[in-house]
Amino acid sequence: MSVPKIVVLGAGYGGLMTVKGLQKHLHYNEAEITLVNQNAYHYITTKLHEPAAGTSHHDHARLSIRSVINERKVNFIQDKVTAIKLDEKKVFLENNDPISYDYLVIGLGSSPETFGIKGLMENAFFIRNIDSVRMIREHMEYMFSRYQNEQKDELITIVVGGAGFTGIEYIGELVDRMPELCHEYDIPLEKVRIVNVEAAPTVLPGFDKELVEYAVKYLEGKGVEFITGTPIEECTTDGVVLKGGQEIKAATVVWTGGVRGNKLVEESGLETMRGRVKVDEYLRAPGHENVFVVGDSSLIFNDEGRPYPPTAQMATQQGQVLGKNLVALIRGGEMKPFKYMPKGTVASLGRKEAIGTVGDKKIFGGWAAFVKKMIDLRWLFLLGGVSLVLRKGKL
Amino acid sequence: MSVPKIVVLGAGYGGLMTVKGLQKHLHYNEAEITLVNQNAYHYITTKLHEPAAGTSHHDHARLSIRSVINERKVNFIQDKVTAIKLDEKKVFLENNDPISYDYLVIGLGSSPETFGIKGLMENAFFIRNIDSVRMIREHMEYMFSRYQNEQKDELITIVVGGAGFTGIEYIGELVDRMPELCHEYDIPLEKVRIVNVEAAPTVLPGFDKELVEYAVKYLEGKGVEFITGTPIEECTTDGVVLKGGQEIKAATVVWTGGVRGNKLVEESGLETMRGRVKVDEYLRAPGHENVFVVGDSSLIFNDEGRPYPPTAQMATQQGQVLGKNLVALIRGGEMKPFKYMPKGTVASLGRKEAIGTVGDKKIFGGWAAFVKKMIDLRWLFLLGGVSLVLRKGKL
């Protein structure tokens, strides 16, 4: 007897949550579940700004996939997806044989969106995954270590492109880290420059004005320079050139200005916008009853017809619903439509400060920072229960 | 009443030991003692290979000068010497007024000797001081952090030029560090290459053959590759080219092949060989009764007419004798001739291994490593007594 084959691509928030649902509800003999992921670990995207700045170790932002799945129910393949062939119902891998599916879940995440800015891909760094943030940290430290040898100010200048969520959270961590970093490399703290450049007229576009002002005031008080309403025109090996011609010499440029879907999804032939698939209410790709898309690979519009930004919160909720829907499908039941329920947003500004909204309440400062930590712990709880929270959680 | 002015340039082993002797034996009113050093700290050259590899923090290889001198007797100026004018009996500084002397002690150390190898100064790193070794560590870590992003083998290839004392000790530390480093950056240990290139026919030229074999066997067992009898012809941004044309691609090239005297000494008009002054038996520069040279700036020949290599041991002994001789000079007494008393040499091979000779005994392994540590502690004891040993010493 053959059972349906469910293949989940990507162990991000969406993919992993789907798998958690499947392994919880399905019996051993109801489906063959395969999870494919490039790394042996899941990384906690919402925490990547910390290891990128070096305020926490990258091991705090990842956890072993095998430790949160049930390997008696889920077949985990650590490999890189090279192609998705929808007509053959097959997924091609770098080091393993192609795998067939009856139901496919695509949760392959995103890649940086450079908006065609010249030199950005080649010369900037991206807060993207464990490898990339570890490299940012090491790059910055190497540049700082050169300062006493070469005495060039650009070595200790950091430009952050983009003042969205990731950009601001990363800057908050940088500000926290600087005293220690300067001590380590015998650099006077006041010599360091952290410059945030944003094309939109304000920092944290779309965020509540009062919260934005709080964040800007706090970070400016720590010496951060904000340049808003000014796009980066070019990123060079020496720094950035802004629209209007101003040049900022900086050895470290980190781009946080946006993401687009994984190009494998585009290449699969699915219809995409910036690499993301506009899914239906059951998270299906248009025209493909058996192909589901979650997380940054998916695109969902709100009631005003604007796309929701890709967030961990969105992906987690998608995975929770999709897991149950797949169980229903397999058992001949009814799927439930997905409806995003925004629970609020909190942006950290380093370890002890944050801003955000929970429900319709604005929160600031230490309390917001605490709420942020609770949100992080909740994800660990969803993945691995109390034991994972105790093992990996950190207040 | 004017007292003689003694100016000591450089707080290395030679300069600092001279000052220790002066402040111990002279009364407040017998001389005006000035010590000039670029940094606020003395660095322990014999330990620099550890922070260069990252096996210990650079703070373990430096100590505050003010903590080991008596500031009631010694005037410490933290500044960079820009020129020595012997005819004016003046020393020029970067940020302070020139200072006059009656007696001058030059202990300005060395700089790398590149033997004219093309590209070495521009592209290689040097185990030279705190700033340079901190940069080597950070550079190596940054290269390792790039590996998972770029998958290029040269990123995790380290070429060490020179198999003298410093080169071998540095390689010993690298070997110790690699497991932790590879774990940090998710790199399989066996992928890392450490290549030692030496122009002389053997590793550790001049060292006992049995000891050399022990060291080579130990390090080869840890995966180190030795290429002897082969000079480096060129160092590029990609690695090194050896005589004969072999190219080794390496992102990190560290040159330990030799040193020459500080160029300020040459520029002063003193007669030098490779920047070092051949001093007389009282450590005086030829033709200058009041100018003494110690440490790497000085050159002393053994009974067979060959120059002693510049070592901390030599500099320390010079400083000890010179301190007493200056006291004698000031009090109208007789100076004693300096005679180098080699007490043995121990080269560490990481934390738990070493080779060396003490008196006419050869020592190996753990015992030699212990002796090496005792030698390090002795320097701390000479500088600051038991309290400094307890504060900074580390077994």
Side-chain angles (χ1 to χ4, degrees), chain B residues 375-392:
Chain B
I375 294 169
D376 286 343
L377 294 183
R378 181 171 176 272
W379 173 240
L380 293 179
F381 178 74
L382 288 174
L383 277 186
V386 172
S387 75
L388 188 65
V389 172
L390 293 176
R391 190 156 56 80
K392 298 284 289 188

mmCIF file with all atom_site columns, all heavy atoms in Angstrom, chain B residues 375-392:
data_model
loop_
_atom_site.group_PDB
_atom_site.id
_atom_site.type_symbol
_atom_site.label_atom_id
_atom_site.label_alt_id
_atom_site.label_comp_id
_atom_site.label_asym_id
_atom_site.label_entity_id
_atom_site.label_seq_id
_atom_site.pdbx_PDB_ins_code
_atom_site.Cartn_x
_atom_site.Cartn_y
_atom_site.Cartn_z
_atom_site.occupancy
_atom_site.B_iso_or_equiv
_atom_site.pdbx_formal_charge
_atom_site.auth_seq_id
_atom_site.auth_comp_id
_atom_site.auth_asym_id
_atom_site.auth_atom_id
_atom_site.pdbx_PDB_model_num
ATOM 1   N N   . ILE B 1 375 ? 60.116 30.226 32.277 1.00 0.00 ? 375 ILE B N   1
ATOM 2   C CA  . ILE B 1 375 ? 60.918 31.314 31.703 1.00 0.00 ? 375 ILE B CA  1
ATOM 3   C C   . ILE B 1 375 ? 60.045 32.557 31.531 1.00 0.00 ? 375 ILE B C   1
ATOM 4   O O   . ILE B 1 375 ? 60.453 33.671 31.850 1.00 0.00 ? 375 ILE B O   1
ATOM 5   C CB  . ILE B 1 375 ? 61.512 30.877 30.337 1.00 0.00 ? 375 ILE B CB  1
ATOM 6   C CG1 . ILE B 1 375 ? 62.514 29.734 30.539 1.00 0.00 ? 375 ILE B CG1 1
ATOM 7   C CG2 . ILE B 1 375 ? 62.185 32.053 29.642 1.00 0.00 ? 375 ILE B CG2 1
ATOM 8   C CD1 . ILE B 1 375 ? 62.955 29.046 29.253 1.00 0.00 ? 375 ILE B CD1 1
ATOM 9   N N   . ASP B 1 376 ? 58.818 32.345 31.046 1.00 0.00 ? 376 ASP B N   1
ATOM 10  C CA  . ASP B 1 376 ? 57.897 33.473 30.896 1.00 0.00 ? 376 ASP B CA  1
ATOM 11  C C   . ASP B 1 376 ? 57.600 34.123 32.241 1.00 0.00 ? 376 ASP B C   1
ATOM 12  O O   . ASP B 1 376 ? 57.565 35.345 32.368 1.00 0.00 ? 376 ASP B O   1
ATOM 13  C CB  . ASP B 1 376 ? 56.579 33.004 30.259 1.00 0.00 ? 376 ASP B CB  1
ATOM 14  C CG  . ASP B 1 376 ? 56.724 32.719 28.772 1.00 0.00 ? 376 ASP B CG  1
ATOM 15  O OD1 . ASP B 1 376 ? 57.717 33.180 28.170 1.00 0.00 ? 376 ASP B OD1 1
ATOM 16  O OD2 . ASP B 1 376 ? 55.849 32.042 28.221 1.00 0.00 ? 376 ASP B OD2 1
ATOM 17  N N   . LEU B 1 377 ? 57.376 33.272 33.236 1.00 0.00 ? 377 LEU B N   1
ATOM 18  C CA  . LEU B 1 377 ? 57.058 33.816 34.565 1.00 0.00 ? 377 LEU B CA  1
ATOM 19  C C   . LEU B 1 377 ? 58.251 34.570 35.143 1.00 0.00 ? 377 LEU B C   1
ATOM 20  O O   . LEU B 1 377 ? 58.079 35.565 35.851 1.00 0.00 ? 377 LEU B O   1
ATOM 21  C CB  . LEU B 1 377 ? 56.629 32.685 35.516 1.00 0.00 ? 377 LEU B CB  1
ATOM 22  C CG  . LEU B 1 377 ? 55.312 31.987 35.171 1.00 0.00 ? 377 LEU B CG  1
ATOM 23  C CD1 . LEU B 1 377 ? 54.983 30.946 36.236 1.00 0.00 ? 377 LEU B CD1 1
ATOM 24  C CD2 . LEU B 1 377 ? 54.163 32.984 35.042 1.00 0.00 ? 377 LEU B CD2 1
ATOM 25  N N   . ARG B 1 378 ? 59.451 34.107 34.825 1.00 0.00 ? 378 ARG B N   1
ATOM 26  C CA  . ARG B 1 378 ? 60.645 34.785 35.352 1.00 0.00 ? 378 ARG B CA  1
ATOM 27  C C   . ARG B 1 378 ? 60.676 36.236 34.886 1.00 0.00 ? 378 ARG B C   1
ATOM 28  O O   . ARG B 1 378 ? 61.061 37.128 35.630 1.00 0.00 ? 378 ARG B O   1
ATOM 29  C CB  . ARG B 1 378 ? 61.900 34.057 34.881 1.00 0.00 ? 378 ARG B CB  1
ATOM 30  C CG  . ARG B 1 378 ? 63.168 34.704 35.418 1.00 0.00 ? 378 ARG B CG  1
ATOM 31  C CD  . ARG B 1 378 ? 64.407 33.872 35.152 1.00 0.00 ? 378 ARG B CD  1
ATOM 32  N NE  . ARG B 1 378 ? 65.586 34.596 35.610 1.00 0.00 ? 378 ARG B NE  1
ATOM 33  C CZ  . ARG B 1 378 ? 66.259 35.462 34.847 1.00 0.00 ? 378 ARG B CZ  1
ATOM 34  N NH1 . ARG B 1 378 ? 65.881 35.703 33.603 1.00 0.00 ? 378 ARG B NH1 1
ATOM 35  N NH2 . ARG B 1 378 ? 67.321 36.095 35.352 1.00 0.00 ? 378 ARG B NH2 1
ATOM 36  N N   . TRP B 1 379 ? 60.282 36.480 33.654 1.00 0.00 ? 379 TRP B N   1
ATOM 37  C CA  . TRP B 1 379 ? 60.278 37.856 33.149 1.00 0.00 ? 379 TRP B CA  1
ATOM 38  C C   . TRP B 1 379 ? 59.298 38.720 33.944 1.00 0.00 ? 379 TRP B C   1
ATOM 39  O O   . TRP B 1 379 ? 59.596 39.846 34.322 1.00 0.00 ? 379 TRP B O   1
ATOM 40  C CB  . TRP B 1 379 ? 59.962 37.874 31.648 1.00 0.00 ? 379 TRP B CB  1
ATOM 41  C CG  . TRP B 1 379 ? 59.768 39.264 31.103 1.00 0.00 ? 379 TRP B CG  1
ATOM 42  C CD1 . TRP B 1 379 ? 58.663 39.765 30.514 1.00 0.00 ? 379 TRP B CD1 1
ATOM 43  C CD2 . TRP B 1 379 ? 60.735 40.334 31.116 1.00 0.00 ? 379 TRP B CD2 1
ATOM 44  N NE1 . TRP B 1 379 ? 58.851 41.075 30.165 1.00 0.00 ? 379 TRP B NE1 1
ATOM 45  C CE2 . TRP B 1 379 ? 60.121 41.460 30.535 1.00 0.00 ? 379 TRP B CE2 1
ATOM 46  C CE3 . TRP B 1 379 ? 62.037 40.462 31.598 1.00 0.00 ? 379 TRP B CE3 1
ATOM 47  C CZ2 . TRP B 1 379 ? 60.756 42.678 30.390 1.00 0.00 ? 379 TRP B CZ2 1
ATOM 48  C CZ3 . TRP B 1 379 ? 62.679 41.689 31.459 1.00 0.00 ? 379 TRP B CZ3 1
ATOM 49  C CH2 . TRP B 1 379 ? 62.045 42.770 30.860 1.00 0.00 ? 379 TRP B CH2 1
ATOM 50  N N   . LEU B 1 380 ? 58.140 38.165 34.217 1.00 0.00 ? 380 LEU B N   1
ATOM 51  C CA  . LEU B 1 380 ? 57.178 38.911 35.036 1.00 0.00 ? 380 LEU B CA  1
ATOM 52  C C   . LEU B 1 380 ? 57.753 39.175 36.421 1.00 0.00 ? 380 LEU B C   1
ATOM 53  O O   . LEU B 1 380 ? 57.588 40.257 36.987 1.00 0.00 ? 380 LEU B O   1
ATOM 54  C CB  . LEU B 1 380 ? 55.860 38.125 35.160 1.00 0.00 ? 380 LEU B CB  1
ATOM 55  C CG  . LEU B 1 380 ? 55.033 37.955 33.885 1.00 0.00 ? 380 LEU B CG  1
ATOM 56  C CD1 . LEU B 1 380 ? 53.784 37.134 34.186 1.00 0.00 ? 380 LEU B CD1 1
ATOM 57  C CD2 . LEU B 1 380 ? 54.644 39.314 33.300 1.00 0.00 ? 380 LEU B CD2 1
ATOM 58  N N   . PHE B 1 381 ? 58.462 38.177 36.958 1.00 0.00 ? 381 PHE B N   1
ATOM 59  C CA  . PHE B 1 381 ? 59.065 38.325 38.283 1.00 0.00 ? 381 PHE B CA  1
ATOM 60  C C   . PHE B 1 381 ? 60.111 39.443 38.272 1.00 0.00 ? 381 PHE B C   1
ATOM 61  O O   . PHE B 1 381 ? 60.147 40.291 39.175 1.00 0.00 ? 381 PHE B O   1
ATOM 62  C CB  . PHE B 1 381 ? 59.690 37.002 38.716 1.00 0.00 ? 381 PHE B CB  1
ATOM 63  C CG  . PHE B 1 381 ? 60.381 37.092 40.051 1.00 0.00 ? 381 PHE B CG  1
ATOM 64  C CD1 . PHE B 1 381 ? 59.635 37.155 41.217 1.00 0.00 ? 381 PHE B CD1 1
ATOM 65  C CD2 . PHE B 1 381 ? 61.765 37.151 40.128 1.00 0.00 ? 381 PHE B CD2 1
ATOM 66  C CE1 . PHE B 1 381 ? 60.265 37.270 42.449 1.00 0.00 ? 381 PHE B CE1 1
ATOM 67  C CE2 . PHE B 1 381 ? 62.401 37.264 41.355 1.00 0.00 ? 381 PHE B CE2 1
ATOM 68  C CZ  . PHE B 1 381 ? 61.653 37.317 42.516 1.00 0.00 ? 381 PHE B CZ  1
ATOM 69  N N   . LEU B 1 382 ? 60.942 39.473 37.229 1.00 0.00 ? 382 LEU B N   1
ATOM 70  C CA  . LEU B 1 382 ? 61.965 40.517 37.126 1.00 0.00 ? 382 LEU B CA  1
ATOM 71  C C   . LEU B 1 382 ? 61.318 41.899 37.042 1.00 0.00 ? 382 LEU B C   1
ATOM 72  O O   . LEU B 1 382 ? 61.815 42.873 37.593 1.00 0.00 ? 382 LEU B O   1
ATOM 73  C CB  . LEU B 1 382 ? 62.846 40.300 35.892 1.00 0.00 ? 382 LEU B CB  1
ATOM 74  C CG  . LEU B 1 382 ? 63.826 39.126 35.957 1.00 0.00 ? 382 LEU B CG  1
ATOM 75  C CD1 . LEU B 1 382 ? 64.530 38.955 34.615 1.00 0.00 ? 382 LEU B CD1 1
ATOM 76  C CD2 . LEU B 1 382 ? 64.855 39.346 37.076 1.00 0.00 ? 382 LEU B CD2 1
ATOM 77  N N   . LEU B 1 383 ? 60.207 41.972 36.359 1.00 0.00 ? 383 LEU B N   1
ATOM 78  C CA  . LEU B 1 383 ? 59.548 43.268 36.167 1.00 0.00 ? 383 LEU B CA  1
ATOM 79  C C   . LEU B 1 383 ? 58.771 43.724 37.386 1.00 0.00 ? 383 LEU B C   1
ATOM 80  O O   . LEU B 1 383 ? 58.784 44.903 37.731 1.00 0.00 ? 383 LEU B O   1
ATOM 81  C CB  . LEU B 1 383 ? 58.563 43.194 35.001 1.00 0.00 ? 383 LEU B CB  1
ATOM 82  C CG  . LEU B 1 383 ? 59.104 43.364 33.603 1.00 0.00 ? 383 LEU B CG  1
ATOM 83  C CD1 . LEU B 1 383 ? 57.935 43.408 32.637 1.00 0.00 ? 383 LEU B CD1 1
ATOM 84  C CD2 . LEU B 1 383 ? 59.930 44.643 33.485 1.00 0.00 ? 383 LEU B CD2 1
ATOM 85  N N   . GLY B 1 384 ? 58.072 42.780 38.014 1.00 0.00 ? 384 GLY B N   1
ATOM 86  C CA  . GLY B 1 384 ? 57.153 43.243 39.056 1.00 0.00 ? 384 GLY B CA  1
ATOM 87  C C   . GLY B 1 384 ? 57.072 42.337 40.258 1.00 0.00 ? 384 GLY B C   1
ATOM 88  O O   . GLY B 1 384 ? 56.104 42.438 41.029 1.00 0.00 ? 384 GLY B O   1
ATOM 89  N N   . GLY B 1 385 ? 58.038 41.458 40.410 1.00 0.00 ? 385 GLY B N   1
ATOM 90  C CA  . GLY B 1 385 ? 58.064 40.611 41.594 1.00 0.00 ? 385 GLY B CA  1
ATOM 91  C C   . GLY B 1 385 ? 56.932 39.598 41.614 1.00 0.00 ? 385 GLY B C   1
ATOM 92  O O   . GLY B 1 385 ? 56.230 39.385 40.615 1.00 0.00 ? 385 GLY B O   1
ATOM 93  N N   . VAL B 1 386 ? 56.774 38.997 42.765 1.00 0.00 ? 386 VAL B N   1
ATOM 94  C CA  . VAL B 1 386 ? 55.787 37.927 42.908 1.00 0.00 ? 386 VAL B CA  1
ATOM 95  C C   . VAL B 1 386 ? 54.372 38.425 42.598 1.00 0.00 ? 386 VAL B C   1
ATOM 96  O O   . VAL B 1 386 ? 53.574 37.735 41.977 1.00 0.00 ? 386 VAL B O   1
ATOM 97  C CB  . VAL B 1 386 ? 55.846 37.347 44.336 1.00 0.00 ? 386 VAL B CB  1
ATOM 98  C CG1 . VAL B 1 386 ? 54.694 36.373 44.563 1.00 0.00 ? 386 VAL B CG1 1
ATOM 99  C CG2 . VAL B 1 386 ? 57.181 36.657 44.573 1.00 0.00 ? 386 VAL B CG2 1
ATOM 100 N N   . SER B 1 387 ? 54.100 39.673 42.993 1.00 0.00 ? 387 SER B N   1
ATOM 101 C CA  . SER B 1 387 ? 52.723 40.151 42.812 1.00 0.00 ? 387 SER B CA  1
ATOM 102 C C   . SER B 1 387 ? 52.348 40.199 41.336 1.00 0.00 ? 387 SER B C   1
ATOM 103 O O   . SER B 1 387 ? 51.227 39.879 40.947 1.00 0.00 ? 387 SER B O   1
ATOM 104 C CB  . SER B 1 387 ? 52.531 41.513 43.478 1.00 0.00 ? 387 SER B CB  1
ATOM 105 O OG  . SER B 1 387 ? 53.132 42.532 42.727 1.00 0.00 ? 387 SER B OG  1
ATOM 106 N N   . LEU B 1 388 ? 53.303 40.588 40.496 1.00 0.00 ? 388 LEU B N   1
ATOM 107 C CA  . LEU B 1 388 ? 52.998 40.619 39.061 1.00 0.00 ? 388 LEU B CA  1
ATOM 108 C C   . LEU B 1 388 ? 52.841 39.202 38.505 1.00 0.00 ? 388 LEU B C   1
ATOM 109 O O   . LEU B 1 388 ? 51.979 38.942 37.662 1.00 0.00 ? 388 LEU B O   1
ATOM 110 C CB  . LEU B 1 388 ? 54.085 41.377 38.287 1.00 0.00 ? 388 LEU B CB  1
ATOM 111 C CG  . LEU B 1 388 ? 53.762 41.622 36.807 1.00 0.00 ? 388 LEU B CG  1
ATOM 112 C CD1 . LEU B 1 388 ? 52.555 42.539 36.639 1.00 0.00 ? 388 LEU B CD1 1
ATOM 113 C CD2 . LEU B 1 388 ? 54.959 42.213 36.063 1.00 0.00 ? 388 LEU B CD2 1
ATOM 114 N N   . VAL B 1 389 ? 53.660 38.303 38.991 1.00 0.00 ? 389 VAL B N   1
ATOM 115 C CA  . VAL B 1 389 ? 53.538 36.909 38.554 1.00 0.00 ? 389 VAL B CA  1
ATOM 116 C C   . VAL B 1 389 ? 52.143 36.381 38.866 1.00 0.00 ? 389 VAL B C   1
ATOM 117 O O   . VAL B 1 389 ? 51.493 35.752 38.043 1.00 0.00 ? 389 VAL B O   1
ATOM 118 C CB  . VAL B 1 389 ? 54.607 36.021 39.235 1.00 0.00 ? 389 VAL B CB  1
ATOM 119 C CG1 . VAL B 1 389 ? 54.356 34.543 38.919 1.00 0.00 ? 389 VAL B CG1 1
ATOM 120 C CG2 . VAL B 1 389 ? 56.007 36.431 38.801 1.00 0.00 ? 389 VAL B CG2 1
ATOM 121 N N   . LEU B 1 390 ? 51.693 36.699 40.068 1.00 0.00 ? 390 LEU B N   1
ATOM 122 C CA  . LEU B 1 390 ? 50.375 36.202 40.477 1.00 0.00 ? 390 LEU B CA  1
ATOM 123 C C   . LEU B 1 390 ? 49.253 36.872 39.690 1.00 0.00 ? 390 LEU B C   1
ATOM 124 O O   . LEU B 1 390 ? 48.252 36.256 39.363 1.00 0.00 ? 390 LEU B O   1
ATOM 125 C CB  . LEU B 1 390 ? 50.163 36.442 41.979 1.00 0.00 ? 390 LEU B CB  1
ATOM 126 C CG  . LEU B 1 390 ? 51.073 35.616 42.881 1.00 0.00 ? 390 LEU B CG  1
ATOM 127 C CD1 . LEU B 1 390 ? 50.859 35.996 44.342 1.00 0.00 ? 390 LEU B CD1 1
ATOM 128 C CD2 . LEU B 1 390 ? 50.850 34.122 42.677 1.00 0.00 ? 390 LEU B CD2 1
ATOM 129 N N   . ARG B 1 391 ? 49.471 38.151 39.349 1.00 0.00 ? 391 ARG B N   1
ATOM 130 C CA  . ARG B 1 391 ? 48.424 38.895 38.668 1.00 0.00 ? 391 ARG B CA  1
ATOM 131 C C   . ARG B 1 391 ? 48.343 38.538 37.190 1.00 0.00 ? 391 ARG B C   1
ATOM 132 O O   . ARG B 1 391 ? 47.257 38.373 36.638 1.00 0.00 ? 391 ARG B O   1
ATOM 133 C CB  . ARG B 1 391 ? 48.697 40.405 38.841 1.00 0.00 ? 391 ARG B CB  1
ATOM 134 C CG  . ARG B 1 391 ? 47.603 41.326 38.395 1.00 0.00 ? 391 ARG B CG  1
ATOM 135 C CD  . ARG B 1 391 ? 47.692 42.684 39.106 1.00 0.00 ? 391 ARG B CD  1
ATOM 136 N NE  . ARG B 1 391 ? 48.996 43.317 38.907 1.00 0.00 ? 391 ARG B NE  1
ATOM 137 C CZ  . ARG B 1 391 ? 49.354 43.986 37.798 1.00 0.00 ? 391 ARG B CZ  1
ATOM 138 N NH1 . ARG B 1 391 ? 48.512 44.105 36.802 1.00 0.00 ? 391 ARG B NH1 1
ATOM 139 N NH2 . ARG B 1 391 ? 50.548 44.543 37.694 1.00 0.00 ? 391 ARG B NH2 1
ATOM 140 N N   . LYS B 1 392 ? 49.495 38.426 36.531 1.00 0.00 ? 392 LYS B N   1
ATOM 141 C CA  . LYS B 1 392 ? 49.503 38.236 35.083 1.00 0.00 ? 392 LYS B CA  1
ATOM 142 C C   . LYS B 1 392 ? 49.925 36.838 34.647 1.00 0.00 ? 392 LYS B C   1
ATOM 143 O O   . LYS B 1 392 ? 49.757 36.466 33.487 1.00 0.00 ? 392 LYS B O   1
ATOM 144 C CB  . LYS B 1 392 ? 50.458 39.242 34.416 1.00 0.00 ? 392 LYS B CB  1
ATOM 145 C CG  . LYS B 1 392 ? 50.102 40.696 34.585 1.00 0.00 ? 392 LYS B CG  1
ATOM 146 C CD  . LYS B 1 392 ? 48.945 41.127 33.686 1.00 0.00 ? 392 LYS B CD  1
ATOM 147 C CE  . LYS B 1 392 ? 49.349 41.199 32.220 1.00 0.00 ? 392 LYS B CE  1
ATOM 148 N NZ  . LYS B 1 392 ? 48.285 41.808 31.390 1.00 0.00 ? 392 LYS B NZ  1
#
